[in-house]
Amino acid sequence: MKKDERPIILVADDNKEDYQLAEEAFKEVGILDSLIWVKNGEELMDYLLLKGKYKNSKDAPKPSIILLDLNMPKKDGRETLKEIKEHPDLCRIPVIVFTVSGAEEDINYCYKAGANSYIRKPLNFSQLVDIFRTTAKYWLETVKLPL
Amino acid sequence: MNNNNEYKKKEAELIRLNRALRMIAACKQLVIKIQDEKELLKKICQIFIKRGGYRMAWIGYAKNNPEKSVTPVACAGFENGYLKTINITWADTERGRGPTGTAIRTGKTRFIADFKAAGNFSPWLKDALKRGYASSISLAIKDNVNKKIYGALSIYSDKIKAFNKEEIVLLEELLSDVAAGITIIRLNNQKKKAIKNLAISKNKINRQKELINSVNEILKMLLRDGSEEILAQKCLDEAEKLTGSKIGYIGELNKDESINILAISNSGWKNCRMPLNEARKAWRGMMLRGIRSSVIKNKKTIIINNISPSPEFGPKPKGHPVIKNMCAAPLKDEKNTIGAVILANKEKGFTPEDTEIMEVLGAAVVQVLKHRRMEEYSKQILRSNKDLEQFANMVSHDLRAPMVNINNYAQLLARRYKEKLDAGANDFINYITGGIIQMSQLIDDLLSYSKLSTKSEPFKTVDCANVIEETLETLKPAIEKNKAVITYVKMPKIQADKTQMRQLFQNLLDNAVKFRGNKPPKVHISARKQKNKWLFSVKDNGIGIDPKYKDYIFKMFARLKEDDAKKEGTGVGLAICKKIVERHNGEIWIESKPDKGSTFYFTIPMA
């Protein structure tokens, strides 16, 4: 796999520990150097729209999938999800909501807004690894994604 | 000479007959003119004395009582207590065989030419002679058309043989007319009474109509979302309109026995300098005294129609009208008096009809205010339920986030560094993760407990067999692990919240499998009709409990073994079951003995 063909997994999460945990779990799956971290919805939109500190497109390669936390400062996941899915170009990027919330309202809202999957963060690390293995297998190897 | 005597005798008889004729003509005039029965009878007696020159005349009515007594209703002439002594009857007894009694009994005229010579007159002879009565005639007052005998007229003369045959015929004719006159007067009176009664009922119906209209107006206002204040004012306005009183208020009793004004009469207050709004505020916490105290304490409507200015009625603001009369009705709840409607200054004073109006409108005030307050209360409950739900969601999310990290990192630590840590350190890591998993379960349980009241669905028809099948599917791992056998017989369809019924069966079956004895768990579910409800039972062969804990186990966080927290769970499960059953208006209980298994019973009313 060439360097520029490496799949990009864009992780939007305000919490460093959460991001690092995802990184550790992906490591166990065998996916390295694919994760890029943005800290909130605003930063995520800047990244996708090549604005602000992501003006230079070299710093912001197009992601294969987005892992989106719901509760973030500035612009939260719900709003960001809606913005992405209403955007003519960005709407095709698969968005996987990845959150601690198990509330029915959140689940309903996210699928209605166009989320491609909704995953509740598990309590156990082994489950987390299983989830990411399945996620990677499905979204990065099985399905055909838009270019 | 003989001829002369004969002539004189004839002349005297002619004069007497002529006198009788004039007397009778005068009586007939009376029958036509006089509308009052007693007056008519009295005047007739008087004519016999004045024009007839008799000593005494009286009329007695026959009573239809067991003694068949005769009651004097009119008399004239020299009576001098005679009628009090006679004590006669129209029965066929000694005191009934005198002339009056016989005339009434037989309807025939009795003429006694000389008392001294008459056999049947002995009971009265002494008293009659004492008053100078020598002879008498008694004539029945008989309505020939209606065949009714009202009584008799008795005339006494101081001369013997005072009545002759021609006179008697004329008198009988007269009395027949008098009887007919009495019949007509009585019919007329009945008619007048009926007309009057009709007018009274019409009046009453009109008042009821007005009252119903007023209550209707008040209810309309209740539906139009009127505030408490507006509703109380409307009730007072209607009470004033219906009673015609000029000033008043509605007061509500506070817990400290003071009174708050709910409404003040608009019209009655207009001359006061204090604005109405200020007055309402000023009369918060009025002392309980005077009429408002008596009406509230006695729980009865009071009318006072003659009030003289007295300090008891307290100082009034400038411009307040002088109170002349008052009517106060208590406001009654089911048990207590909660206030009073007090009206004053009605022209000509208050009447019992006003009492009725005020009591009905008072009941309307109580019901209307109660309804409005219940509405407010349920709105508040809905609001606080929503707050509670938001709070529970927030807590569960905000607590779960750090727990996810603690547990995951603890496990990552074990995974990556197991070999480098000693056995103690690895145990500690297990304690951390064990604690976190239990905590997470507790939060989930608490959240579902709180959702029982905030997230309840309207009841629908639920097939219990269906619910049990779904539950068995959910519990499959635990059932297989414990080699449990769960059976059920014919299950009913009930009106219930399906999600909650699933939760109920899941918790009960989960417990039955979890608290197993040495043998593999055997659980049986059954349901039977009991009056108007279904009685469900879930019977197991598990470890059972001491009956003294039968109430405790349904309490929040109830756990029976300190050292086995993981197995026992959070202690919320049965509290959830209890709340679900109670939400369905049923009851839940357990029958159990240690090592003999448990049976949980619960009831669900039939629709």
Side-chain angles (χ1 to χ4, degrees):
Chain A
M1 198 185 272
K2 279 191 228 160
K3 185 132 200 244
D4 56 347
E5 281 174 15
R6 158 178 80 100
I8 298 297
I9 302 171
L10 191 57
V11 181
D13 203 314
D14 60 314
N15 195 334
K16 184 169 189 295
E17 290 90 65
D18 284 33
Y19 170 71
Q20 206 175 328
L21 194 64
E23 214 175 32
E24 295 297 340
F26 272 113
K27 248 190 231 168
E28 299 257 334
V29 176
I31 292 173
L32 302 161
D33 303 327
S34 282
L35 265 59
I36 291 173
W37 179 32
V38 288
K39 291 193 185 75
N40 56 54
E42 267 181 24
E43 224 181 291
L44 174 59
M45 291 314 289
D46 282 356
Y47 183 101
L48 295 174
L49 298 170
L50 304 174
K51 287 199 303 196
K53 70 177 183 180
Y54 299 103
K55 250 183 201 156
N56 193 336
S57 64
K58 266 192 276 172
D59 299 332
K62 199 180 172 216
S64 300
I65 55 172
I66 299 169
L67 279 188
L68 179 67
D69 186 19
L70 286 185
N71 297 309
M72 292 185 293
K74 290 185 182 166
K75 190 179 275 181
D76 83 345
R78 296 169 190 83
E79 209 182 323
T80 316
L81 172 66
K82 220 172 158 216
E83 227 174 295
I84 293 170
K85 289 300 174 185
E86 280 169 2
H87 193 283
D89 298 328
L90 305 180
C91 66
R92 278 166 289 189
I93 306 169
V95 177
I96 297 158
V97 176
F98 190 60
T99 175
V100 288
S101 166
E104 272 171 59
E105 291 88 343
D106 285 337
I107 297 169
N108 285 332
Y109 173 90
C110 289
Y111 281 113
K112 209 170 167 188
N116 299 74
S117 294
Y118 186 105
I119 297 172
R120 198 178 179 197
K121 288 182 183 174
L123 269 180
N124 293 318
F125 187 71
S126 56
Q127 281 176 339
L128 185 64
V129 174
D130 283 349
I131 286 168
F132 282 166
R133 183 174 290 122
T134 315
T135 306
K137 175 106 182 139
Y138 183 75
W139 286 109
L140 303 181
E141 290 176 27
T142 314
V143 301
K144 189 85 186 139
L145 293 173
L147 293 173
Chain B
M1 185 70 193
N2 247 358
N3 266 351
N4 202 24
N5 275 349
E6 193 75 5
Y7 176 76
K8 277 196 174 163
K9 202 177 160 194
K10 287 249 163 146
E11 193 186 22
E13 269 179 23
L14 267 176
I15 289 169
R16 204 159 79 180
L17 201 58
N18 192 27
R19 194 177 62 191
L21 273 172
R22 271 188 284 129
M23 196 169 71
I24 285 161
C27 284
K28 287 196 174 184
Q29 287 277 323
L30 290 178
V31 173
I32 295 163
K33 264 197 282 183
I34 297 180
Q35 289 299 308
D36 183 87
E37 191 173 328
K38 283 224 163 130
E39 195 194 339
L40 173 66
L41 300 177
K42 174 129 187 116
K43 286 264 166 71
I44 286 172
C45 290
Q46 282 168 355
I47 284 175
F48 282 109
I49 305 304
K50 278 185 194 157
R51 302 221 178 158
Y54 297 113
R55 192 148 177 84
M56 200 270 274
W58 70 281
I59 291 170
Y61 271 179
K63 279 205 161 176
N64 272 319
N65 52 11
E67 302 86 51
K68 299 189 172 179
S69 51
V70 177
T71 318
V73 287
C75 88
F78 184 76
E79 186 264 342
N80 198 24
Y82 178 67
L83 295 177
K84 270 189 192 144
T85 66
I86 54 175
N87 182 23
I88 60 166
T89 163
W90 54 281
D92 195 5
T93 59
E94 195 200 3
R95 300 195 81 86
R97 287 183 201 116
T100 304
T102 310
I104 291 174
R105 190 166 61 251
T106 62
K108 284 178 182 146
T109 303
R110 295 293 297 165
F111 167 51
I112 299 182
D114 184 353
F115 283 153
K116 281 181 196 159
N120 288 340
F121 200 71
S122 51
W124 305 280
L125 183 63
K126 208 177 125 198
D127 281 310
L129 293 178
K130 209 197 271 175
R131 289 170 180 81
Y133 309 153
S135 65
S136 80
I137 183 168
S138 292
L139 302 116
I141 305 175
K142 183 167 64 174
D143 181 341
N144 287 322
V145 181
N146 293 302
K147 305 264 180 277
K148 188 172 163 56
I149 295 175
Y150 290 113
L153 164 71
S154 297
I155 306 166
Y156 297 75
S157 171
D158 50 5
K159 296 179 187 75
I160 58 167
K161 294 182 186 167
F163 306 91
N164 68 16
K165 273 185 193 158
E166 289 89 345
E167 212 177 349
I168 290 170
V169 173
L170 288 171
L171 282 172
E172 281 176 348
E173 199 187 299
L174 167 70
L175 283 193
S176 170
D177 285 355
V178 169
I182 291 171
T183 303
I184 289 167
I185 287 174
R186 289 195 179 177
L187 281 175
N188 267 339
N189 283 346
Q190 274 173 18
K191 197 169 139 195
K192 271 184 207 156
K193 213 169 165 184
I195 290 172
K196 201 174 153 195
N197 281 343
L198 191 69
I200 290 173
S201 342
K202 264 191 189 164
N203 206 332
K204 201 169 172 186
I205 288 170
N206 277 339
R207 277 207 317 275
Q208 298 282 0
K209 252 191 203 163
E210 282 179 352
L211 198 53
I212 289 169
N213 278 342
S214 285
V215 173
N216 227 345
E217 288 293 312
I218 294 166
L219 290 180
K220 268 190 214 158
M221 192 153 272
L222 179 68
L223 293 177
R224 275 204 303 270
D225 232 34
S227 69
E228 249 180 60
E229 208 167 77
I230 289 173
L231 284 167
Q233 191 68 49
K234 178 74 182 169
C235 292
L236 182 62
D237 290 350
E238 292 295 327
E240 288 193 322
K241 195 175 83 189
L242 291 184
T243 59
S245 73
K246 296 284 187 299
I247 187 161
Y249 66 86
I250 296 176
E252 186 182 23
L253 193 62
N254 295 325
K255 281 203 182 97
D256 64 355
E257 294 232 306
S258 63
I259 285 213
N260 279 359
I261 294 286
L262 291 174
I264 299 182
S265 143
N266 277 315
S267 59
W269 196 257
K270 65 174 183 265
N271 292 326
C272 291
R273 282 188 207 145
M274 188 187 275
L276 202 55
N277 289 341
E278 271 178 45
R280 282 202 190 96
K281 277 181 211 152
W283 269 294
R284 294 216 153 261
M286 270 198 309
M287 286 207 343
L288 190 61
R289 61 174 187 195
I291 195 168
R292 41 181 191 265
S293 169
S294 6
V295 74
I296 284 172
K297 285 189 177 144
N298 299 332
K299 303 178 181 186
K300 276 186 189 140
T301 306
I302 301 174
I303 292 179
I304 307 178
N305 271 335
N306 50 343
I307 293 177
S308 45
S310 105
E312 201 208 352
F313 292 101
K316 303 270 184 297
K318 275 191 176 165
H320 193 292
V322 176
I323 299 300
K324 290 172 188 142
N325 50 38
M326 267 188 161
C327 183
L331 296 180
K332 282 191 255 184
D333 206 347
E334 276 106 52
K335 287 184 216 139
N336 306 314
T337 308
I338 60 159
V341 187
I342 297 171
L343 299 181
N345 290 4
K346 175 182 175 155
E347 232 168 278
K348 292 180 184 169
F350 290 92
T351 63
E353 284 81 33
D354 295 320
T355 310
E356 192 190 339
I357 291 170
M358 285 177 64
E359 281 168 4
V360 170
L361 289 177
V365 174
V366 173
Q367 291 308 318
V368 157
L369 289 182
K370 204 166 161 185
H371 186 90
R372 177 61 79 245
R373 282 171 190 173
M374 286 301 284
E375 269 181 356
E376 283 301 316
Y377 186 59
S378 55
K379 267 186 211 161
Q380 269 177 23
I381 294 213
L382 279 180
R383 267 199 299 273
S384 66
N385 269 354
K386 215 167 173 95
D387 289 350
L388 196 68
E389 192 188 338
Q390 269 177 2
F391 177 73
N393 274 334
M394 198 188 74
V395 165
S396 87
H397 177 270
D398 288 357
L399 286 179
R400 196 179 159 86
M403 275 169 18
V404 164
N405 280 345
I406 295 170
N407 207 42
N408 273 289
Y409 277 110
Q411 288 177 342
L412 187 57
L413 197 62
R415 202 172 170 115
R416 296 267 170 90
Y417 303 98
K418 198 170 183 173
E419 306 308 323
K420 289 176 188 161
L421 297 171
D422 61 18
N426 278 311
D427 279 348
F428 298 161
I429 291 172
N430 283 340
Y431 297 159
I432 296 174
T433 61
I436 293 293
I437 285 169
Q438 203 195 334
M439 195 169 160
S440 148
Q441 186 60 45
L442 183 60
I443 290 169
D444 285 352
D445 283 352
L446 280 177
L447 196 62
S448 47
Y449 185 84
S450 82
K451 274 181 184 166
L452 291 181
S453 40
T454 58
K455 273 275 163 67
S456 45
E457 300 274 317
F459 292 175
K460 284 179 193 153
T461 305
V462 174
D463 185 347
C464 291
N466 208 326
V467 169
I468 292 173
E469 279 302 327
E470 285 174 13
T471 308
L472 293 180
E473 191 59 36
T474 314
L475 294 175
K476 211 171 175 182
I479 292 171
E480 281 173 358
K481 193 179 145 202
N482 289 290
K483 296 192 167 58
V485 178
I486 299 180
T487 53
Y488 63 92
V489 287
K490 216 175 163 216
M491 283 289 134
K493 289 189 169 105
I494 57 172
Q495 289 299 311
D497 179 329
K498 191 173 181 184
T499 312
Q500 294 190 353
M501 289 313 293
R502 211 184 286 141
Q503 219 172 339
L504 173 64
F505 276 109
Q506 190 172 320
N507 286 351
L508 290 178
L509 294 176
D510 191 39
N511 276 349
V513 173
K514 194 159 63 180
F515 297 105
R516 55 170 290 182
N518 293 329
K519 289 183 223 159
K522 264 186 166 176
V523 186
H524 183 67
I525 312 160
S526 68
R528 64 186 161 92
K529 267 188 195 175
Q530 202 187 51
K531 281 184 190 166
N532 49 355
K533 56 196 175 192
W534 287 101
L535 174 68
F536 290 84
S537 65
V538 179
K539 185 177 167 62
D540 66 41
N541 61 345
I543 55 172
I545 62 154
D546 189 323
K548 71 179 173 189
Y549 295 120
K550 67 183 174 52
D551 295 326
Y552 169 74
I553 54 166
F554 290 104
K555 288 200 171 119
M556 198 75 172
F557 306 123
R559 293 205 322 253
L560 291 179
K561 288 181 191 165
E562 309 77 6
D563 57 338
D564 205 5
K566 263 185 215 161
K567 186 179 181 183
E568 292 232 10
T570 56
V572 181
L574 286 177
I576 289 178
C577 290
K578 186 168 157 71
K579 199 163 177 185
I580 290 174
V581 172
E582 281 170 358
R583 262 211 71 231
H584 287 76
N585 294 319
E587 283 177 277
I588 186 167
W589 67 96
I590 185 176
E591 281 172 16
S592 181
K593 274 183 191 161
D595 304 322
K596 296 271 192 260
S598 304
T599 307
F600 280 91
Y601 293 95
F602 65 90
T603 59
I604 302 287
M606 289 180 196

